[in-house]
Amino acid sequence: MTGFSFAFDEITLVLFTTLAPSGAVAYLLMSLPVMLGRATGDAARRLNQLTCLPLVIAMVGLVASATHLGNPSNALYVFTGVGRSPLSTEVGCAVAFLALAGIYWLYSFAEHPRRGLQRGLLAAIDVAIVAFVVAVAFAYHVDTIITWSLPLVPASLVLNSLVGGPLIALVGFALARWPVSRAALCGLAAAAFVANTVVYVVLGAWLHPLANELATVGQLVPAYPAFAATFVLLSACGIALSWRAADGAQGRKAASSGQAMPARAVEPLTVAAAPAEEGDATEPLAVADAPAAEPLAVAAAPAEQGDAAEPLAVADAPAEQGDAPAANGLPGDLHYVVVRAIGALLALAGIFVMRFVFYMTHLTVGLGV
C-alpha cells in the first residue's frame, strides 16, 4: 500500500498549492516598484500590464482546484463559511486577490491612470495576497489527519511560495525591462530554499513513526528521502539559473563582445580607435549622433575599411532592446528571459514534487478512517 493513489486523486490540489501561492507572491513582488513610487511613466505601465504573468499562474492553480469540487454548481456556497471554515476562508481570500488584481490590470490600460488610486489598489491587493497565502497554509491543518496537523506543515507551504515567487517575478521583471537586484530576489529564494529544506528534513523525521490502524507513513511514502533530494536538486538548479541570468541584457552584451566596461564608458575609446588617416570628418559626428547604447556595435564593425556608410548602418541598429546575439543565437534580452523562465519552472517542479508527497501522506485517525 502506497500513497500514490491518494496523491493522484488530489492532483488538482497539488497543482493549486504549487502554482497559486507562488504566483501570488510573484505578483506582490512585481507590484512593489509601482506601489513605492519607484516606477513611473512607461516603466510603470509595462510593470502593471505584465503582472498578468503571475496573475495567470495563480488563476491556473485556482481553476485546477475548482475541478476538485464534486458539484461545481455548489461553488458559491463556499462563501457562507468564510471565517468559520479554513477552506472557505482560503477560497474567499483567493477570490478577493484575483478580483482586485483583475480590476487593477484592466485599469492599467487607462490613458491617464491616477497614481494615487493605483497605489491604493496595489496596497489592498498585497494585503489580500498575504491573507491568501496564510489561509492556504492553514487550510490543510486538520486535526483528524495526523500527518497534516504538524506545526511545520503550514511553514512548508509558505516557504514554497517564497522559493517559487521570486523566480517568477524575475521573469516578469525581465519582460518589463525593469532593472532589479538579483541579490534581493535570488537571495530571498535561496534563503527560503534553505529553510524549506530544513523543514522537510525535520518533517521527514516527525512523519516516519506516525501510523493508524491501516498503514504507516513509511508504507505510504517509502521513498521520502528521494523525493526530498529531488526537491533540493530541482530548486537549487532553478535558483542557480535565475542567478546567472539576472545580470541583465547589458551584461550579456559586454560578455558577448569581450567588453568588461559599461556601454557608456566604451564610447570615447571607440572614437579614439577610429582610423585617423582617412580624414573623414563626418565619422565623429555619426558616432556622436548614435544612441548611447550603440558603441558595442561600433566596436564590432571592421574599422579598417573607413567606409562612410558604416556609421549609417550603426545608427540604424536598435540597441535599446538589448538584442545582442548570445552564443546560442538568441537576442540577449530573450536569452536571459528564457533562462529565468527555465529556472522558475525547475523550482516549481521541485515544489510540485513535495506537494505531491504531502498528499501521499494522507493518514487519518478517528472519524477520518
Side-chain angles (χ1 to χ4, degrees):
M1 179 179 183
T2 66
F4 280 101
S5 60
F6 296 150
F8 280 118
D9 288 343
E10 310 291 350
I11 194 66
T12 57
L13 293 181
V14 176
L15 287 172
F16 167 67
T17 54
T18 298
L19 297 177
S22 292
V25 170
Y27 189 104
L28 186 152
L29 294 171
M30 287 189 66
S31 72
L32 290 180
V34 178
M35 189 180 71
L36 298 177
R38 295 181 179 178
T40 58
D42 289 340
R45 185 179 296 273
R46 290 196 303 269
L47 283 171
N48 287 334
Q49 294 173 359
L50 281 165
T51 52
C52 65
L53 173 65
L55 184 59
V56 167
I57 291 173
M59 288 182 65
V60 169
L62 188 63
V63 170
S65 70
T67 63
H68 179 72
L69 295 174
N71 187 355
S73 63
N74 294 329
L76 292 178
Y77 290 107
V78 74
F79 297 107
T80 62
V82 173
R84 174 174 51 84
S85 165
L87 290 175
S88 295
T89 303
E90 169 196 67
V91 174
C93 292
V95 170
F97 157 53
L98 294 178
L100 289 171
I103 293 170
Y104 180 84
W105 185 73
L106 291 174
Y107 184 65
S108 68
F109 288 91
E111 187 173 352
H112 301 292
R114 296 186 178 183
R115 291 182 59 190
L117 178 59
Q118 284 185 313
R119 295 172 73 174
L121 277 173
L122 285 175
I125 293 169
D126 290 348
V127 170
I129 287 172
V130 173
F132 167 63
V133 174
V134 173
V136 174
F138 285 93
Y140 303 95
H141 198 269
V142 183
D143 291 338
T144 56
I145 305 177
I146 56 175
T147 49
W148 294 2
S149 60
L150 300 173
L152 287 180
V153 168
S156 67
L157 192 140
V158 172
L159 291 171
N160 285 166
S161 68
L162 294 177
V163 172
L167 302 188
I168 296 172
L170 278 172
V171 179
F173 282 127
L175 290 171
R177 302 193 302 278
W178 176 259
V180 65
S181 170
R182 69 175 180 179
L185 292 183
C186 290
L188 174 60
F193 162 69
V194 172
N196 214 348
T197 301
V198 173
V199 165
Y200 282 136
V201 171
V202 175
L203 279 176
W206 287 357
L207 288 170
H208 185 73
L210 296 180
N212 64 6
E213 292 80 0
L214 301 178
T216 66
V217 172
Q219 292 173 325
L220 295 177
V221 192
Y224 184 92
F227 286 120
T230 302
F231 163 78
V232 170
L233 178 62
L234 291 174
S235 299
C237 289
I239 294 171
L241 279 177
S242 298
W243 173 271
R244 287 181 61 85
D247 287 326
Q250 295 302 323
R252 186 165 297 282
K253 278 185 177 181
S256 63
S257 62
Q259 299 280 354
M261 302 176 66
R264 296 183 184 274
V266 177
E267 186 172 356
L269 299 179
T270 306
V271 175
E277 66 273 14
E278 295 298 330
D280 189 352
T282 62
E283 185 170 342
L285 294 178
V287 174
D289 290 339
E294 295 296 331
L296 296 179
V298 175
E304 66 274 12
Q305 299 298 329
D307 191 348
E310 271 188 40
L312 296 178
V314 172
D316 290 338
E320 68 273 12
Q321 299 298 326
D323 59 350
N328 59 5
L330 291 175
D333 276 354
L334 179 60
H335 176 84
Y336 81 88
V337 168
V338 170
V339 173
R340 285 182 177 184
I342 294 173
L345 287 173
L346 286 174
L348 289 175
I351 295 169
F352 178 88
V353 168
M354 294 311 293
R355 298 313 304 168
F356 191 87
V357 170
F358 174 78
Y359 287 97
M360 288 178 68
T361 62
H362 189 281
L363 195 67
T364 57
V365 295
L367 295 178
V369 177

